[in-house]
Amino acid sequence: MGVGCGAARTRRWIADEERREAERRAGAARRPPAPEWLIERGLDRNNLVAVHTGECWDPGKRVRPVTRAQAIEALRHQVPACSKCRPDTALGIEA
Ligand SMILES: [Zn+2]
């Protein structure tokens, strides 16, 4: 003990903080991931304009997350597949 005492306490404090930070990050990782599929609506709520993958870089403003089954269903009901992210290809559906 002696001179190094304060530094050791500081290191321990930093280690604690780092552990808490790591736990925060692990908690964030446990949150549900971004949706895999998106459906884009038109101005009319009932008008579906496109199906997107969750990775689409241009999904439009009025999208909502849907399940894979819902995305397949939409494509089968003539909702167009986005031409940028090709969800029909990702889902194995022939357009
Ligand atoms: Zn798209």
Side-chain angles (χ1 to χ4, degrees):
M1 293 313 202
V3 180
C5 222
R9 199 159 47 228
T10 303
R11 270 199 301 276
R12 210 157 39 234
W13 180 80
I14 290 169
D16 273 355
E17 282 299 293
E18 282 171 352
R19 187 172 43 76
R20 268 196 284 276
E21 177 59 31
E23 280 166 6
R24 260 197 299 277
R25 252 172 298 172
R30 272 196 297 275
R31 277 206 296 267
E36 271 193 273
W37 312 100
L38 299 166
I39 285 185
E40 183 181 354
R41 284 193 316 237
L43 287 170
D44 175 354
R45 286 178 144 272
N46 299 316
N47 181 29
L48 305 179
V49 290
V51 180
H52 298 272
T53 70
E55 285 97 50
C56 186
W57 51 270
D58 189 19
K61 291 197 180 82
R62 289 175 298 272
V63 289
R64 66 182 170 90
V66 293
T67 63
R68 180 189 173 89
Q70 287 172 313
I72 291 171
E73 173 121 334
L75 289 171
R76 291 221 170 108
H77 285 81
Q78 316 304 318
V79 178
C82 171
S83 61
K84 287 147 191 155
C85 59
R86 303 308 319 187
D88 47 349
T89 306
L91 289 163
I93 292 173
E94 295 300 316

XYZ file of all heavy atoms in Angstrom:
740
model
N 0.839 -1.195 0.000
C 0.000 0.000 0.000
C 0.870 1.240 0.000
O 2.070 1.193 0.134
C -0.889 0.028 1.254
C -1.940 -1.078 1.260
S -2.828 -1.239 -0.292
C -4.296 -2.052 0.262
N 0.301 2.377 -0.134
C 1.069 3.607 -0.138
C 0.736 4.419 -1.372
O -0.445 4.633 -1.668
N 1.797 4.782 -2.075
C 1.619 5.709 -3.195
C 0.738 5.116 -4.290
O -0.099 5.796 -4.862
C 3.013 6.097 -3.771
C 2.857 7.059 -4.929
C 3.896 6.683 -2.677
N 0.897 3.816 -4.553
C 0.159 3.213 -5.661
C -1.319 2.987 -5.382
O -2.075 2.616 -6.265
N -1.706 3.194 -4.141
C -3.056 2.852 -3.712
C -4.153 3.536 -4.527
O -5.075 2.916 -5.020
C -3.213 3.243 -2.248
S -4.083 1.990 -1.338
N -4.011 4.850 -4.668
C -5.033 5.599 -5.382
C -5.139 5.158 -6.834
O -6.238 5.002 -7.359
N -3.995 4.910 -7.469
C -3.995 4.490 -8.866
C -4.675 3.146 -9.023
O -5.436 2.924 -9.966
C -2.563 4.426 -9.384
N -4.408 2.247 -8.064
C -5.034 0.928 -8.124
C -6.544 1.064 -8.021
O -7.296 0.393 -8.714
C -4.497 0.041 -7.004
N -6.963 1.978 -7.128
C -8.407 2.172 -6.962
C -9.009 2.720 -8.254
O -10.080 2.302 -8.673
C -8.651 3.132 -5.792
C -10.068 3.024 -5.268
C -10.200 3.554 -3.858
N -9.559 4.838 -3.675
C -8.724 5.131 -2.647
N -8.455 4.225 -1.743
N -8.174 6.307 -2.548
N -8.254 3.642 -8.875
C -8.745 4.207 -10.133
C -8.838 3.142 -11.213
O -9.822 3.058 -11.940
C -7.810 5.348 -10.603
O -7.746 6.320 -9.575
C -8.323 5.975 -11.880
N -7.787 2.286 -11.277
C -7.825 1.219 -12.268
C -9.017 0.297 -12.033
O -9.667 -0.137 -12.962
C -6.529 0.400 -12.217
C -5.444 0.931 -13.144
C -4.400 -0.126 -13.419
N -3.750 -0.594 -12.193
C -2.728 0.028 -11.608
N -2.229 1.127 -12.140
N -2.197 -0.448 -10.517
N -9.265 0.019 -10.739
C -10.378 -0.865 -10.417
C -11.701 -0.206 -10.830
O -12.581 -0.837 -11.372
C -10.374 -1.162 -8.914
C -10.948 -2.510 -8.607
C -10.487 -3.069 -7.268
N -10.385 -2.084 -6.210
C -9.272 -1.906 -5.484
N -8.203 -2.639 -5.691
N -9.246 -1.011 -4.528
N -11.767 1.087 -10.588
C -12.984 1.817 -10.943
C -13.198 1.785 -12.462
O -14.287 1.545 -12.953
C -12.863 3.252 -10.437
C -14.076 4.077 -10.759
C -15.250 4.071 -10.082
C -14.229 4.995 -11.843
N -16.129 4.930 -10.689
C -15.539 5.511 -11.762
C -13.380 5.416 -12.878
C -16.013 6.443 -12.686
C -13.850 6.350 -13.790
C -15.149 6.848 -13.683
N -12.093 1.977 -13.193
C -12.184 1.934 -14.654
C -12.616 0.549 -15.117
O -13.472 0.402 -15.985
C -10.833 2.339 -15.297
C -10.613 3.846 -15.070
C -10.808 2.004 -16.781
C -9.212 4.303 -15.421
N -12.037 -0.470 -14.469
C -12.407 -1.837 -14.839
C -13.898 -2.072 -14.597
O -14.580 -2.693 -15.410
C -11.578 -2.846 -14.045
N -14.385 -1.550 -13.476
C -15.817 -1.672 -13.180
C -16.654 -0.992 -14.255
O -17.646 -1.528 -14.719
C -16.137 -1.018 -11.826
C -15.941 -1.990 -10.668
O -15.651 -3.170 -10.953
O -16.071 -1.561 -9.510
N -16.211 0.208 -14.617
C -16.945 0.954 -15.641
C -16.945 0.201 -16.962
O -17.942 0.141 -17.659
C -16.316 2.339 -15.833
C -16.685 3.318 -14.745
C -18.198 3.551 -14.682
O -18.738 4.134 -15.633
O -18.820 3.142 -13.689
N -15.771 -0.383 -17.278
C -15.681 -1.119 -18.534
C -16.584 -2.341 -18.524
O -17.190 -2.691 -19.524
C -14.230 -1.525 -18.816
C -13.423 -0.342 -19.345
C -11.944 -0.635 -19.444
O -11.526 -1.707 -18.964
O -11.230 0.212 -19.985
N -16.656 -2.973 -17.353
C -17.520 -4.145 -17.253
C -18.980 -3.742 -17.436
O -19.740 -4.385 -18.141
C -17.305 -4.820 -15.898
C -18.023 -6.141 -15.755
C -17.615 -6.865 -14.474
N -17.529 -5.971 -13.310
C -18.604 -5.496 -12.656
N -19.803 -5.844 -13.032
N -18.446 -4.705 -11.633
N -19.331 -2.610 -16.795
C -20.714 -2.148 -16.942
C -21.013 -1.805 -18.400
O -22.087 -2.103 -18.903
C -20.951 -0.918 -16.059
C -21.486 -1.299 -14.686
C -22.064 -0.094 -13.983
N -21.028 0.779 -13.450
C -20.438 0.587 -12.265
N -20.791 -0.402 -11.506
N -19.498 1.392 -11.864
N -20.036 -1.188 -19.045
C -20.218 -0.829 -20.448
C -20.411 -2.095 -21.297
O -21.261 -2.149 -22.174
C -19.005 -0.019 -20.929
C -19.034 0.362 -22.393
C -20.244 1.208 -22.779
O -20.732 1.988 -21.931
O -20.721 1.062 -23.915
N -19.602 -3.118 -21.005
C -19.711 -4.376 -21.745
C -21.082 -5.008 -21.524
O -21.683 -5.550 -22.447
C -18.606 -5.339 -21.313
N -21.566 -4.902 -20.289
C -22.892 -5.454 -20.003
C -23.982 -4.695 -20.749
O -24.938 -5.289 -21.237
C -23.161 -5.419 -18.494
C -22.485 -6.568 -17.760
C -22.448 -6.349 -16.252
O -23.046 -5.369 -15.767
O -21.806 -7.177 -15.583
N -23.806 -3.374 -20.823
C -24.770 -2.574 -21.577
C -24.795 -3.026 -23.033
O -25.847 -3.179 -23.623
C -24.392 -1.093 -21.520
C -25.199 -0.310 -20.492
C -25.117 1.177 -20.748
N -23.758 1.698 -20.675
C -23.136 2.037 -19.544
N -23.756 1.923 -18.403
N -21.913 2.504 -19.560
N -23.596 -3.250 -23.566
C -23.521 -3.658 -24.971
C -24.139 -5.034 -25.181
O -24.819 -5.278 -26.156
C -22.077 -3.648 -25.458
C -21.825 -2.492 -26.417
C -20.368 -2.372 -26.729
N -19.611 -2.074 -25.522
C -18.294 -2.056 -25.434
N -17.568 -2.340 -26.472
N -17.685 -1.762 -24.320
N -23.873 -5.943 -24.227
C -24.448 -7.286 -24.332
C -25.971 -7.192 -24.271
O -26.672 -7.894 -24.984
C -23.926 -8.169 -23.214
N -26.474 -6.298 -23.416
C -27.911 -6.102 -23.320
C -28.481 -5.597 -24.634
O -29.525 -6.042 -25.076
N -27.750 -4.701 -25.272
C -28.210 -4.164 -26.543
C -28.251 -5.255 -27.596
O -29.140 -5.292 -28.435
C -27.295 -3.034 -26.994
N -27.275 -6.159 -27.544
C -27.216 -7.243 -28.521
C -28.386 -8.200 -28.361
O -28.776 -8.871 -29.304
C -25.901 -7.991 -28.396
N -28.910 -8.260 -27.120
C -30.040 -9.165 -26.892
C -31.344 -8.605 -27.424
O -32.317 -9.301 -27.535
C -30.181 -9.464 -25.388
C -29.351 -10.651 -24.939
C -29.814 -11.144 -23.593
N -29.650 -10.149 -22.551
C -28.506 -9.964 -21.863
N -27.461 -10.725 -22.111
N -28.419 -9.053 -20.935
N -31.363 -7.314 -27.698
C -32.596 -6.737 -28.243
C -32.886 -7.359 -29.599
O -31.981 -7.761 -30.310
C -32.430 -5.223 -28.395
C -32.697 -4.488 -27.091
C -33.147 -3.076 -27.359
N -32.099 -2.302 -28.019
C -31.216 -1.550 -27.354
N -31.259 -1.470 -26.066
N -30.302 -0.875 -28.018
N -34.175 -7.407 -29.983
C -34.489 -8.027 -31.272
C -33.749 -7.324 -32.403
O -33.614 -6.104 -32.390
C -36.006 -7.857 -31.400
C -36.453 -7.024 -30.265
C -35.351 -6.928 -29.263
N -33.255 -8.080 -33.350
C -32.518 -7.477 -34.460
C -33.465 -6.694 -35.370
O -34.675 -6.783 -35.229
C -31.948 -8.685 -35.198
C -32.879 -9.814 -34.864
C -33.412 -9.518 -33.487
N -32.898 -5.949 -36.276
C -33.713 -5.216 -37.239
C -34.596 -6.211 -37.980
O -34.209 -7.355 -38.197
C -32.804 -4.486 -38.224
N -35.798 -5.777 -38.350
C -36.698 -6.708 -39.024
C -36.098 -7.192 -40.328
O -35.372 -6.465 -40.999
C -37.957 -5.868 -39.275
C -37.501 -4.449 -39.196
C -36.356 -4.434 -38.232
N -36.386 -8.426 -40.664
C -35.826 -8.987 -41.891
C -36.594 -8.570 -43.129
O -36.079 -8.584 -44.224
C -35.818 -10.508 -41.786
C -34.555 -11.035 -41.170
C -34.453 -12.520 -41.363
O -34.977 -13.252 -40.527
O -33.867 -12.932 -42.373
N -37.870 -8.263 -42.922
C -38.717 -7.938 -44.067
C -39.528 -6.697 -43.764
O -39.922 -6.460 -42.627
C -39.658 -9.121 -44.369
C -38.913 -10.398 -44.406
C -38.847 -11.324 -43.410
C -38.065 -10.871 -45.450
N -38.007 -12.332 -43.794
C -37.510 -12.092 -45.033
C -37.729 -10.366 -46.707
C -36.639 -12.814 -45.820
C -36.855 -11.097 -47.496
C -36.324 -12.303 -47.048
N -39.789 -5.945 -44.778
C -40.552 -4.706 -44.608
C -41.607 -4.630 -45.697
O -41.381 -5.072 -46.829
C -39.615 -3.488 -44.741
C -38.484 -3.381 -43.725
C -37.469 -2.338 -44.191
C -39.014 -3.006 -42.356
N -42.741 -4.055 -45.347
C -43.746 -3.776 -46.361
C -43.955 -2.276 -46.403
O -44.122 -1.631 -45.365
C -45.066 -4.528 -46.087
C -44.865 -5.991 -46.454
C -46.209 -3.917 -46.901
C -46.120 -6.834 -46.344
N -43.894 -1.764 -47.601
C -44.061 -0.328 -47.806
C -45.500 -0.047 -48.222
O -46.017 -0.693 -49.125
C -43.098 0.149 -48.900
C -43.170 1.653 -49.128
C -42.221 2.108 -50.238
O -41.446 1.269 -50.741
O -42.272 3.286 -50.595
N -46.091 0.906 -47.506
C -47.469 1.272 -47.815
C -47.513 2.540 -48.629
O -46.634 3.381 -48.534
C -48.251 1.503 -46.518
C -48.640 0.245 -45.810
C -49.665 0.567 -44.744
N -49.289 1.753 -43.987
C -49.127 1.786 -42.662
N -49.307 0.693 -41.971
N -48.792 2.887 -42.057
N -48.575 2.671 -49.368
C -48.809 3.923 -50.087
C -49.481 4.920 -49.160
O -49.601 4.683 -47.962
N -49.925 6.021 -49.736
C -50.603 7.039 -48.928
C -51.873 6.470 -48.321
O -52.223 6.758 -47.187
C -50.928 8.258 -49.798
C -49.710 9.099 -50.160
C -50.070 10.131 -51.218
C -49.133 9.782 -48.936
N -52.562 5.645 -49.106
C -53.717 4.928 -48.602
C -53.191 3.760 -47.775
O -52.386 2.964 -48.239
C -54.534 4.431 -49.800
C -55.707 3.555 -49.367
O -55.823 3.249 -48.166
O -56.490 3.193 -50.250
N -53.645 3.675 -46.533
C -53.152 2.648 -45.611
C -53.260 1.236 -46.176
O -52.453 0.373 -45.872
C -53.973 2.676 -44.322
C -53.663 3.858 -43.436
C -54.564 3.813 -42.213
N -53.858 4.284 -41.032
C -53.132 3.485 -40.256
N -53.057 2.205 -40.485
N -52.490 3.987 -39.220
N -54.307 0.996 -46.961
C -54.532 -0.365 -47.438
C -53.780 -0.669 -48.721
O -53.820 -1.782 -49.218
C -56.033 -0.584 -47.658
C -56.797 -0.395 -46.364
O -56.379 -0.869 -45.314
N -57.905 0.314 -46.437
N -53.129 0.328 -49.239
C -52.430 0.140 -50.500
C -50.969 -0.221 -50.237
O -50.199 0.580 -49.732
C -52.527 1.445 -51.306
C -51.840 1.318 -52.641
O -51.769 0.233 -53.207
N -51.330 2.418 -53.140
N -50.615 -1.456 -50.547
C -49.233 -1.889 -50.317
C -48.459 -1.684 -51.611
O -48.852 -2.190 -52.663
C -49.214 -3.359 -49.902
C -50.092 -3.693 -48.686
C -50.023 -5.176 -48.375
C -49.676 -2.868 -47.478
N -47.389 -0.937 -51.529
C -46.682 -0.601 -52.765
C -45.461 -1.466 -53.025
O -45.061 -1.645 -54.169
C -46.283 0.892 -52.847
C -47.498 1.760 -53.035
C -45.522 1.326 -51.624
N -44.851 -2.012 -51.989
C -43.673 -2.830 -52.237
C -43.308 -3.667 -51.019
O -43.631 -3.307 -49.884
C -42.482 -1.957 -52.632
N -42.641 -4.785 -51.315
C -42.052 -5.605 -50.259
C -40.545 -5.389 -50.314
O -39.960 -5.331 -51.398
C -42.377 -7.103 -50.471
C -41.759 -7.956 -49.369
C -43.889 -7.317 -50.517
N -39.934 -5.229 -49.159
C -38.489 -5.008 -49.077
C -37.852 -6.021 -48.144
O -38.501 -6.525 -47.226
C -38.174 -3.625 -48.488
C -38.673 -2.475 -49.302
N -37.947 -1.913 -50.313
C -39.835 -1.783 -49.239
C -38.655 -0.896 -50.829
N -39.793 -0.816 -50.195
N -36.574 -6.240 -48.331
C -35.818 -6.956 -47.307
C -35.455 -5.947 -46.227
O -35.486 -4.735 -46.460
C -34.512 -7.555 -47.862
O -33.614 -6.490 -48.148
C -34.758 -8.377 -49.124
N -35.098 -6.423 -45.052
C -34.722 -5.522 -43.961
C -33.452 -4.744 -44.257
O -33.175 -3.734 -43.628
N -32.673 -5.211 -45.227
C -31.401 -4.544 -45.527
C -31.540 -3.497 -46.614
O -30.552 -2.886 -47.007
C -30.341 -5.553 -45.979
C -29.758 -6.386 -44.873
C -30.456 -7.721 -44.783
O -30.592 -8.381 -45.821
O -30.892 -8.093 -43.686
N -32.743 -3.327 -47.110
C -32.903 -2.415 -48.240
C -32.384 -1.028 -47.888
O -32.652 -0.502 -46.817
C -34.359 -2.322 -48.653
S -34.585 -1.347 -50.152
N -31.630 -0.437 -48.809
C -31.084 0.901 -48.559
C -32.091 1.971 -48.947
O -31.882 3.153 -48.700
C -29.762 1.104 -49.300
C -29.833 0.754 -50.755
C -29.575 -0.468 -51.311
C -30.206 1.610 -51.854
N -29.784 -0.399 -52.670
C -30.156 0.851 -53.033
C -30.574 2.960 -51.931
C -30.466 1.377 -54.280
C -30.878 3.489 -53.180
C -30.817 2.699 -54.338
N -33.188 1.572 -49.560
C -34.155 2.567 -50.017
C -35.584 2.053 -49.823
O -36.325 1.875 -50.766
C -33.903 2.876 -51.495
C -34.746 4.057 -51.967
O -35.211 4.832 -51.112
O -34.960 4.181 -53.184
N -35.950 1.784 -48.565
C -37.251 1.147 -48.333
C -38.439 2.098 -48.334
O -39.563 1.656 -48.180
C -37.074 0.516 -46.949
C -36.103 1.407 -46.264
C -35.212 2.000 -47.330
N -38.215 3.357 -48.508
C -39.326 4.293 -48.471
C -39.640 4.717 -47.049
O -39.033 4.231 -46.095
N -40.587 5.639 -46.923
C -40.852 6.232 -45.612
C -41.935 5.511 -44.834
O -41.976 5.556 -43.631
C -41.275 7.697 -45.797
C -40.134 8.587 -46.285
C -40.494 10.051 -46.049
C -39.381 10.973 -46.510
N -39.458 11.200 -47.971
N -42.847 4.853 -45.550
C -43.988 4.266 -44.851
C -43.864 2.749 -44.800
O -44.679 2.036 -45.365
C -45.288 4.670 -45.551
C -45.661 6.130 -45.372
C -46.882 6.507 -46.175
N -46.629 6.325 -47.609
C -46.102 7.265 -48.385
N -45.800 8.438 -47.893
N -45.886 7.032 -49.648
N -42.823 2.272 -44.161
C -42.655 0.828 -44.085
C -43.001 0.337 -42.686
O -42.897 1.068 -41.708
C -41.202 0.398 -44.413
C -40.914 0.595 -45.878
C -40.204 1.133 -43.547
N -43.435 -0.904 -42.638
C -43.590 -1.521 -41.326
C -42.949 -2.900 -41.380
O -42.944 -3.560 -42.433
C -45.060 -1.592 -40.916
C -45.894 -2.509 -41.761
C -47.348 -2.456 -41.291
N -48.205 -3.159 -42.236
C -48.488 -4.462 -42.128
N -47.985 -5.179 -41.166
N -49.268 -5.032 -43.018
N -42.390 -3.340 -40.254
C -41.759 -4.656 -40.234
C -42.799 -5.757 -40.335
O -43.880 -5.651 -39.752
C -41.048 -4.695 -38.880
C -41.742 -3.683 -38.030
C -42.286 -2.637 -38.961
N -42.482 -6.782 -41.090
C -43.374 -7.934 -41.205
C -42.552 -9.209 -41.063
O -41.325 -9.196 -41.188
C -44.128 -7.955 -42.556
C -45.096 -6.793 -42.655
C -43.171 -7.972 -43.731
N -43.248 -10.293 -40.832
C -42.568 -11.580 -40.755
C -42.294 -12.093 -42.166
O -42.855 -11.590 -43.144
C -43.443 -12.618 -40.033
O -44.627 -12.823 -40.819
C -43.834 -12.132 -38.639
N -41.454 -13.106 -42.241
C -41.156 -13.741 -43.512
C -42.443 -14.232 -44.186
O -42.653 -14.041 -45.382
C -40.206 -14.914 -43.233
C -39.791 -15.672 -44.451
C -39.039 -16.945 -44.041
N -38.790 -17.756 -45.214
C -37.717 -17.639 -45.968
N -36.777 -16.787 -45.646
N -37.570 -18.377 -47.052
N -43.314 -14.851 -43.382
C -44.571 -15.372 -43.928
C -45.424 -14.259 -44.513
O -46.028 -14.413 -45.579
C -45.336 -16.127 -42.842
N -45.450 -13.128 -43.805
C -46.239 -11.997 -44.305
C -45.648 -11.426 -45.587
O -46.376 -11.005 -46.479
C -46.310 -10.903 -43.234
C -47.232 -11.265 -42.080
C -47.140 -10.256 -40.939
O -46.042 -9.887 -40.528
N -48.268 -9.815 -40.440
N -44.322 -11.422 -45.658
C -43.660 -10.915 -46.863
C -43.982 -11.825 -48.052
O -44.295 -11.348 -49.149
C -42.146 -10.842 -46.641
N -43.936 -13.137 -47.838
C -44.257 -14.092 -48.905
C -45.708 -13.908 -49.330
O -46.024 -13.838 -50.519
C -44.004 -15.537 -48.419
C -42.504 -15.769 -48.245
C -44.604 -16.542 -49.401
C -42.156 -17.091 -47.571
N -46.569 -13.787 -48.349
C -47.995 -13.607 -48.628
C -48.229 -12.358 -49.476
O -48.988 -12.380 -50.441
C -48.742 -13.492 -47.295
C -50.191 -13.135 -47.462
C -51.114 -14.170 -46.870
O -50.717 -15.349 -46.780
O -52.224 -13.795 -46.481
N -47.564 -11.275 -49.105
C -47.735 -10.030 -49.850
C -47.294 -10.200 -51.303
O -47.979 -9.775 -52.226
C -46.939 -8.911 -49.174
N -46.152 -10.857 -51.491
C -45.660 -11.061 -52.856
C -46.633 -11.930 -53.657
O -46.881 -11.688 -54.837
C -44.272 -11.716 -52.829
C -43.131 -10.817 -52.331
C -41.869 -11.630 -52.131
C -42.871 -9.674 -53.308
N -47.197 -12.920 -52.995
C -48.166 -13.793 -53.673
C -49.441 -13.045 -54.012
O -50.190 -13.447 -54.887
C -48.500 -14.987 -52.763
C -47.324 -15.925 -52.611
C -47.751 -17.378 -52.667
N -46.560 -18.234 -52.749
C -46.131 -18.983 -51.746
N -46.804 -19.028 -50.614
N -45.056 -19.727 -51.897
N -49.705 -11.970 -53.276
C -50.900 -11.178 -53.544
C -50.578 -9.964 -54.404
O -51.204 -8.913 -54.279
C -51.576 -10.757 -52.233
C -52.314 -11.876 -51.586
N -51.686 -12.825 -50.822
C -53.629 -12.232 -51.616
C -52.590 -13.707 -50.400
N -53.765 -13.380 -50.875
N -49.592 -10.137 -55.232
C -49.280 -9.133 -56.261
C -48.713 -7.829 -55.716
O -48.721 -6.825 -56.417
C -50.511 -8.814 -57.141
C -51.316 -10.018 -57.594
C -50.465 -11.040 -58.332
O -49.628 -10.683 -59.151
N -50.651 -12.316 -58.023
N -48.244 -7.832 -54.477
C -47.526 -6.649 -54.016
C -46.150 -6.705 -54.677
O -45.483 -7.736 -54.604
C -47.387 -6.622 -52.483
C -46.591 -5.400 -52.032
C -48.762 -6.624 -51.828
N -45.753 -5.654 -55.372
C -44.484 -5.704 -56.103
C -43.275 -5.878 -55.177
O -43.249 -5.339 -54.070
C -44.408 -4.352 -56.819
C -45.760 -3.733 -56.680
C -46.422 -4.361 -55.499
N -42.305 -6.632 -55.652
C -41.047 -6.750 -54.925
C -40.187 -5.544 -55.271
O -40.150 -5.102 -56.415
C -40.327 -8.022 -55.340
N -39.520 -5.007 -54.274
C -38.625 -3.879 -54.510
C -37.559 -4.284 -55.522
O -36.985 -5.365 -55.436
C -37.980 -3.468 -53.183
S -36.663 -2.265 -53.358
N -37.296 -3.401 -56.472
C -36.324 -3.732 -57.511
C -34.893 -3.526 -57.037
O -33.948 -3.891 -57.715
C -36.594 -2.882 -58.759
O -36.452 -1.518 -58.434
N -34.730 -2.931 -55.850
C -33.383 -2.657 -55.346
C -32.883 -3.786 -54.458
O -31.724 -4.173 -54.516
C -33.366 -1.334 -54.577
C -33.464 -0.146 -55.508
C -34.232 0.997 -54.868
C -34.539 2.061 -55.911
N -35.726 2.843 -55.546
N -33.773 -4.290 -53.603
C -33.304 -5.313 -52.663
C -33.811 -6.710 -53.021
O -33.392 -7.687 -52.410
C -33.705 -4.949 -51.238
S -35.486 -4.778 -50.989
N -34.692 -6.815 -53.991
C -35.180 -8.099 -54.509
C -35.584 -9.092 -53.417
O -34.983 -10.164 -53.300
C -34.118 -8.758 -55.405
C -33.649 -7.950 -56.583
C -34.703 -7.410 -57.487
N -35.797 -8.319 -57.784
C -36.741 -8.064 -58.669
N -36.714 -6.963 -59.370
N -37.718 -8.907 -58.874
N -36.600 -8.776 -52.650
C -37.047 -9.723 -51.619
C -37.601 -11.008 -52.227
O -37.580 -12.055 -51.579
C -38.152 -8.952 -50.887
C -38.628 -7.933 -51.869
C -37.427 -7.560 -52.678
N -38.108 -10.934 -53.468
C -38.626 -12.139 -54.094
C -37.514 -13.160 -54.300
O -37.693 -14.353 -54.072
C -39.330 -11.818 -55.423
C -38.512 -10.889 -56.310
O -37.513 -10.316 -55.847
O -38.881 -10.742 -57.488
N -36.341 -12.666 -54.697
C -35.189 -13.561 -54.860
C -34.754 -14.112 -53.504
O -34.516 -15.312 -53.342
C -34.008 -12.799 -55.505
O -34.467 -12.211 -56.715
C -32.850 -13.742 -55.791
N -34.714 -13.223 -52.499
C -34.294 -13.638 -51.168
C -35.236 -14.676 -50.590
O -34.825 -15.562 -49.842
C -34.207 -12.407 -50.249
N -36.511 -14.580 -50.962
C -37.508 -15.514 -50.438
C -37.683 -16.736 -51.347
O -38.448 -17.628 -51.052
C -38.857 -14.806 -50.271
C -38.935 -13.792 -49.129
C -40.126 -12.864 -49.313
C -39.025 -14.495 -47.789
N -36.977 -16.734 -52.465
C -37.078 -17.860 -53.385
C -38.389 -17.896 -54.139
O -38.890 -18.952 -54.475
N -38.945 -16.701 -54.405
C -40.209 -16.624 -55.162
C -39.907 -16.088 -56.551
O -39.224 -15.081 -56.695
C -41.207 -15.684 -54.440
C -41.645 -16.324 -53.142
C -42.390 -15.371 -55.341
C -42.498 -15.408 -52.282
N -40.431 -16.774 -57.553
C -40.272 -16.278 -58.906
C -41.238 -15.116 -59.126
O -42.427 -15.260 -58.888
C -40.569 -17.380 -59.908
C -39.560 -18.542 -59.846
C -38.136 -18.071 -60.137
O -37.934 -17.289 -61.065
O -37.233 -18.503 -59.412
N -40.718 -13.999 -59.561
C -41.584 -12.853 -59.782
C -42.348 -13.041 -61.078
O -41.851 -13.637 -62.005
C -40.766 -11.572 -59.822
Zn -36.122 -2.541 -51.178
